[in-house]
Amino acid sequence: MRRWISFALNALLLLLLVSFIFIQVWVLPHAVDNVVSVFPEVEPLAVPSFIWGVVAIACWQAVAVIGLRLVMLIRDHRFNSSSYGWLWAIIGCLLAFIVLVVSAFIALSVLGYTNPGVMYGLIAGGLVALIIVVSVMVFLGANSVIRPYLRG
């Protein structure tokens, strides 16, 4: 990997991590407070939505940290089949996020809080995570199928 690509990926992932921390510490609590002040009927959802948001963002933070590790492995030319465990860890984090999305979707539907913006956001986030999971699994599957033929 070229040095500038490695630098750009590291900078992007670090920027994402800092952004995620900012969102967890400042944006999320203020957003929940603002929604509750405007719509007092959603006050019972304030604490669960804050906890859900923190855990959901933590899933993506873990993916970013693992991504940093993978960039370092690739930069140092040490990425090989033994590094696939990191890809499985990304899949695990994203599957946890998908479970959070589905559980939030179901809980909000049962409670009758089906604001279209929230529901579309859940669907979009879940689909993005699902697309990434399928892409990584296809990569892992293709490499396990192709590898025996490459050894000759």
Side-chain angles (χ1 to χ4, degrees), residues 26-121:
W26 192 78
V27 173
L28 190 59
H30 290 316
V32 170
D33 288 340
N34 287 340
V35 169
V36 169
S37 67
V38 173
F39 303 105
E41 64 272 11
V42 298
E43 198 273 326
L45 294 176
V47 173
S49 65
F50 176 74
I51 293 170
W52 182 91
V54 168
V55 174
I57 293 169
C59 292
W60 287 100
Q61 284 174 322
V63 169
V65 169
I66 295 167
L68 281 170
R69 176 67 180 148
L70 289 173
V71 168
M72 286 187 267
L73 286 172
I74 293 169
R75 182 192 61 210
D76 297 337
H77 304 289
R78 293 185 299 140
F79 183 83
N80 54 31
S81 59
S82 65
S83 305
Y84 288 175
W86 293 109
L87 295 175
W88 284 109
I90 287 175
I91 290 172
C93 293
L94 292 176
L95 287 176
F97 177 76
I98 291 170
V99 167
L100 284 170
V101 166
V102 169
S103 62
F105 191 90
I106 292 170
L108 289 173
S109 296
V110 167
L111 294 173
Y113 295 106
T114 55
N115 178 330
V118 172
M119 300 310 257
Y120 291 148

Side-chain angles (χ1 to χ4, degrees), residues 1 7 9 21 80 111:
M1 171 184 297
F7 177 78
L9 286 173
I21 292 169
N80 54 31
L111 294 173

